Amino acid sequence: GSGSSGESGLVTDASASASAAAGPNLEKALLLSDMVVVGGRYSFAANAAWNWYDINTFIEKLTEYDLASAGITLGADVFVDARPSENFRVFLKTGVSYPFDASSGVEFSDVLHVSEMFSDFNWKSRLFFRAGKQTLNWGVGYFFSPANLLNITQKDPENPDAELEGPVSLKINFPFDVHNLYLYLLAKDITLPEKYGVAVKGEFVAGTAEFGVGALYQADIPPSFMATVSTSLGDISLFGEGVLRYGSARTFVIEDTESPLGLGVATYEDRVFFSGTAGARYMYSNDENTFNFSAAGQYYYNGEGYADSAILTDNQAAVGALIQNGSLAVADLMSTGRHYAALSTGLQDIGKSGVSFTVFWMQNFNDLSGLVTPSLSWKPIDEITLALKVPMTYGTEGMELSRNGNTIGVSLDFSFGGGTF
């Protein structure tokens, strides 16, 4: 089976009652109260990786790698999608991950994790409610998504299709014509009544374009305003996002001549920060499905990044001391650049052989560090995938995307018996 926690996902089943229905009774039959769908995704994979910190001597020292690692990935996502009545739906999705033994040092939340749990109901088919833990996707970006203001997890450019985790919230949707208005009541990390958050969003369709505007307010979080647009130009999908924040939740490193470290920290609660992104995606398949090409590219301007990140890279010992004394968090040193770009392109299932080839590239234009990862995979049958990746970083040692300088790695991934159920 399969399920969806999406806005318009309907649960269907080939039950005797549904298959016997016809005409105007079909939709109602598909929503019978005895319908419960259970499904999910199972994965089992083994990984082995080797890394060399000097790409210039990679061939000469092929057997003298600097770091090696291996691991097993074993897990499953399981969902239960039930509709006790025609206008009431309950959805639960949990993840189970290996290792299962608490003595291995993992937390219970690493073994068993609830990613979504909510109910859907409506008032006179005019107002639609979703209450509980749910994913709230505001952004339209592929690699980067500054408009992703509500979810707990953020986009990972190296794994852009990964599901994001949302907060506990109440979403109220008012559709009119082809447009939508949303109101959100947020209960993320609250301990006091005044900690509840509120957000609003509108989605509007004009021709082939869809526009989104929204705002977020919650105590201890900078008030934020966002806008998105997505459209198409022929076979090319175009998208863009813009975000304004009044203040920043980040702690910044600044020069401080009175400090023994030569550095200090500062926060900015009354400064406006703008972040924006724009990109495009393209996919093509011939009629025989023997040539499947895809490409995606995106530029990201990070308004909360440093105009000159040299203050971080030239003073790494002092920055480390600020972390040690609690003045700075590790999270404050993520995405420290102003300008980024990412590109992914590849061929999938070449000639129906099960062979795919992709290349991923990402760069921080402030410190000129970057990474390139070509990968080759083969799927002889649906349940087995063999993949070879060769990640390479370039740039000065200590930069954001080149912590160890110019490096190269080799990673082998073997996936067995994975799939949906």
Side-chain angles (χ1 to χ4, degrees):
S2 61
S4 170
S5 59
E7 284 283 327
S8 58
L10 288 177
V11 179
T12 61
D13 190 304
S15 64
S17 298
S19 60
N25 294 321
L26 176 59
E27 182 177 353
K28 186 173 182 179
L30 293 174
L31 303 177
L32 291 177
S33 60
D34 64 348
M35 301 196 52
V36 177
V37 175
V38 178
R41 179 176 56 205
Y42 169 81
S43 63
F44 173 59
N47 169 270
W50 301 265
N51 289 276
W52 292 260
Y53 293 158
D54 187 353
I55 195 172
N56 297 316
T57 59
F58 167 61
I59 300 298
E60 301 173 21
K61 300 181 177 181
L62 196 58
T63 60
E64 300 176 22
Y65 47 82
D66 296 290
L67 179 67
S69 62
I72 295 294
T73 300
L74 173 61
D77 292 320
V78 181
F79 70 81
V80 177
D81 202 332
R83 196 177 290 268
S85 66
E86 188 175 337
N87 296 315
F88 182 57
R89 173 196 180 201
V90 176
F91 184 87
L92 168 65
K93 185 176 182 181
T94 61
V96 183
S97 300
Y98 174 85
F100 311 122
D101 186 358
S103 63
S104 62
V106 299
E107 300 291 335
F108 177 76
S109 59
D110 296 323
V111 178
L112 180 63
H113 180 72
V114 177
S115 55
E116 288 190 283
M117 184 169 65
F118 59 79
S119 66
D120 286 332
F121 56 99
N122 67 79
W123 177 73
K124 296 184 177 181
S125 296
R126 298 187 65 185
L127 285 179
F128 296 84
F129 300 85
R130 177 167 290 182
K133 184 174 176 60
Q134 55 188 294
T135 300
L136 302 172
N137 287 324
W138 274 19
V140 295
Y142 186 59
F143 299 109
F144 311 98
S145 185
N148 178 36
L149 299 174
L150 305 187
N151 285 326
I152 296 172
T153 55
Q154 300 299 311
K155 278 274 190 179
D156 178 3
E158 295 186 73
N159 189 17
D161 295 316
E163 294 183 1
L164 302 180
E165 182 177 349
V168 174
S169 59
L170 170 64
K171 177 174 68 175
I172 304 173
N173 170 218
F174 173 63
F176 62 101
D177 195 18
V178 294
H179 316 295
N180 285 279
L181 295 178
Y182 298 93
L183 172 66
Y184 306 83
L185 301 179
L186 308 169
K188 178 182 177 182
D189 300 331
I190 63 165
T191 55
L192 297 171
E194 60 266 28
K195 299 293 185 179
Y196 281 101
V198 62
V200 294
K201 183 189 178 188
E203 294 175 346
F204 308 97
V205 177
T208 60
E210 181 174 313
F211 301 88
V213 291
L216 163 67
Y217 176 80
Q218 188 169 9
D220 303 326
I221 296 178
S224 304
F225 307 89
M226 56 76 70
T228 64
V229 59
S230 57
T231 185
S232 61
L233 183 62
D235 294 330
I236 302 175
S237 299
L238 305 173
F239 53 85
E241 301 178 12
V243 174
L244 287 175
R245 291 179 182 268
Y246 185 67
S248 173
R250 170 175 288 183
T251 298
F252 293 84
V253 176
I254 60 172
E255 293 183 353
D256 185 353
T257 56
E258 298 182 2
S259 169
L261 298 172
L263 298 179
V265 296
T267 56
Y268 303 103
E269 299 179 355
D270 56 356
R271 179 182 297 181
V272 176
F273 293 86
F274 170 78
S275 296
T277 186
R281 295 184 69 185
Y282 172 75
M283 290 187 290
Y284 170 79
S285 296
N286 61 5
D287 294 338
E288 296 77 22
N289 209 34
T290 57
F291 183 82
N292 304 287
F293 173 78
S294 65
Q298 189 173 352
Y299 164 76
Y300 171 42
Y301 172 78
N302 176 26
E304 295 182 74
Y306 290 79
D308 184 359
S309 55
I311 191 173
L312 303 177
T313 55
D314 294 347
N315 302 279
Q316 295 183 46
V319 171
L322 291 174
I323 295 176
Q324 289 294 323
N325 66 28
S327 300
L328 195 67
V330 174
D332 295 320
L333 299 177
M334 300 179 66
S335 299
T336 55
R338 283 275 180 91
H339 304 277
Y340 294 87
L343 174 68
S344 178
T345 183
L347 297 169
Q348 293 77 40
D349 194 16
I350 302 170
K352 295 185 178 180
S353 63
V355 175
S356 299
F357 177 74
T358 61
V359 178
F360 171 77
W361 167 75
M362 178 178 171
Q363 173 147 333
N364 177 333
F365 285 97
N366 283 74
D367 61 21
L368 299 181
S369 64
L371 61 91
V372 179
T373 304
S375 62
L376 180 68
S377 66
W378 177 44
K379 181 178 280 191
I381 61 175
D382 289 341
E383 293 76 21
I384 295 179
T385 302
L386 311 177
L388 169 67
K389 297 180 180 180
V390 185
M392 295 173 282
T393 65
Y394 59 89
T396 304
E397 185 175 348
M399 301 296 106
E400 183 179 7
L401 301 179
S402 58
R403 297 297 183 189
N404 295 303
N406 299 315
T407 70
I408 187 170
V410 175
S411 174
L412 296 174
D413 297 276
F414 305 91
S415 176
F416 305 98
T420 59
F421 58 89

